[in-house]
Amino acid sequence: MAGRPLKTLERVISKAGLGSRVEARTWMHAGRVTVNGRVVQNPDHWVDMERDRVALDGRPLKARSRVYVLLYKPTGYLTTYKDPEGRPTVYDLIEDVGTFVSPVGRLDMDTSGLLLLTNDNQFAERVTNPKSHVPKTYLVKASTRLSDEQLQQLGDGIELSDGPTRPAVVTRVRDSAKYTHFEITLTEGRNRQVRRMVEALGAVVLKLVRVRIGPLAIGRLPIGKWRLLTRAEAESLMPPPSRRAAAGSVSARASKT
Ligand code: URA
């Protein structure tokens, strides 16, 4: 058995891109899932990926292609699958993707901008892991005018409750009579990081838009719309070995805007 590709049934179903793990469990409990023709209701049942035939409603699971979605998230949408309070979520905006994808990191409800979603866990891990140093760039409108020293502080690192922030690239975009607009590029993604950094200066964030992740920008995508990444775009965020592995399987569907 050594080296055999064994996975739990729950994992196999959710990885097939048909639904979340919770949905996979529901289908199993409902008796809709078979392994080699026999109904299996135990989500922890081991499946041998080379030999076992898994089916949902009698239809064999197909090897799924990897899908990478770039969404221009508007404010007012949660980066979660379902909200107990029934508020809008990013899934309301990507119903027509056709494959279950999960957000790569998160944006606050009041933050707009570039959000990636994928069914490729390795890609998501790479983009979100602070060790990868993938830069994320935000446009910020602060509630006061910020001095050069304050912007410098943001760039040098701010002491937050969960430790000092890493050095960041900060550029003043423009000042109005009351506000400063600036751009900040972070290589870590802590909870509400930009908001907390600005609050540490005695101001608050009035508007926050993520405009870039690594080399990817929102470009001309209308707000609330999504498109698939091209193969080259997806590969641009992967380390070299994974780039090769992914090259054959990135979904080649036409972009949807
Ligand atoms: N920093 C924040 O404070 N909020 C976000 O949504 C993203 C980065």
Side-chain angles (χ1 to χ4, degrees), residues 106-109 111 138 186 190-196 208 210:
R106 58 189 296 280
L107 290 177
D108 299 336
M109 179 146 137
T111 304
Y138 299 85
L186 306 175
R190 299 195 221 161
N191 189 30
R192 299 184 69 257
Q193 181 166 346
V194 176
R195 293 177 198 278
R196 289 191 292 139
L208 186 56
R210 181 155 68 192

Side-chain angles (χ1 to χ4, degrees), residues 35-234:
V35 179
N36 303 323
R38 292 177 55 186
V39 170
V40 176
Q41 290 177 302
N42 174 11
D44 297 323
H45 178 90
W46 288 107
V47 173
D48 180 334
M49 299 297 288
E50 279 173 10
R51 301 189 165 194
D52 292 331
R53 286 169 293 107
V54 179
L56 173 66
D57 295 332
R59 283 192 294 277
L61 297 194
K62 278 189 261 154
R64 112 205 133 163
S65 61
R66 294 174 202 171
V67 173
Y68 307 87
V69 171
L70 188 162
L71 170 71
Y72 187 169
K73 176 194 171 301
T75 59
Y77 286 80
L78 291 166
T79 310
T80 183
Y81 181 55
K82 272 218 161 64
D83 178 43
E85 295 173 36
R87 290 171 293 181
T89 80
V90 292
Y91 286 90
D92 297 328
L93 301 167
I94 58 159
E95 277 169 354
D96 43 352
V97 166
T99 302
F100 187 80
V101 286
S102 302
V104 177
R106 58 189 296 280
L107 290 177
D108 299 336
M109 179 146 137
D110 293 337
T111 304
S112 60
L114 198 167
L115 181 70
L116 296 175
L117 300 102
T118 185
N119 53 7
D120 179 347
N121 284 350
Q122 214 187 334
F123 174 90
E125 161 66 16
R126 152 102 187 142
V127 174
T128 52
N129 193 328
K131 288 188 190 143
S132 314
H133 288 256
V134 173
K136 283 125 195 157
T137 302
Y138 299 85
L139 261 178
V140 188
K141 179 182 178 185
S143 61
T144 60
R145 280 178 67 147
L146 300 177
S147 64
D148 287 346
E149 289 69 33
Q150 286 175 307
L151 293 187
Q152 175 93 39
Q153 270 180 276
L154 293 175
D156 290 345
I158 295 265
E159 191 63 46
L160 296 179
S161 55
D162 49 359
T165 59
R166 273 189 195 155
V169 179
V170 180
T171 316
R172 188 186 299 279
V173 175
R174 69 189 161 88
D175 285 337
S176 61
K178 291 194 199 153
Y179 312 114
T180 290
H181 298 251
F182 68 93
E183 202 177 82
I184 183 165
T185 301
L186 306 175
T187 56
E188 52 185 347
R190 299 195 221 161
N191 189 30
R192 299 184 69 257
Q193 181 166 346
V194 176
R195 293 177 198 278
R196 289 191 292 139
M197 289 171 77
V198 172
E199 282 160 20
L201 300 177
V204 294
V205 167
L206 296 182
K207 188 170 179 188
L208 186 56
V209 186
R210 181 155 68 192
V211 289
R212 278 193 300 282
I213 296 181
L216 304 181
I218 297 174
R220 291 170 179 271
L221 191 64
I223 193 154
K225 298 292 183 189
W226 64 272
R227 69 172 178 87
L228 292 176
L229 294 189
T230 64
R231 181 176 298 182
E233 285 175 325

Side-chain angles (χ1 to χ4, degrees), residues 17-39:
L18 300 170
S20 65
R21 280 193 169 210
V22 175
E23 284 173 309
R25 276 178 179 259
T26 312
W27 298 333
M28 279 177 253
H29 288 139
R32 294 170 58 188
V33 176
T34 53
V35 179
N36 303 323
R38 292 177 55 186
V39 170

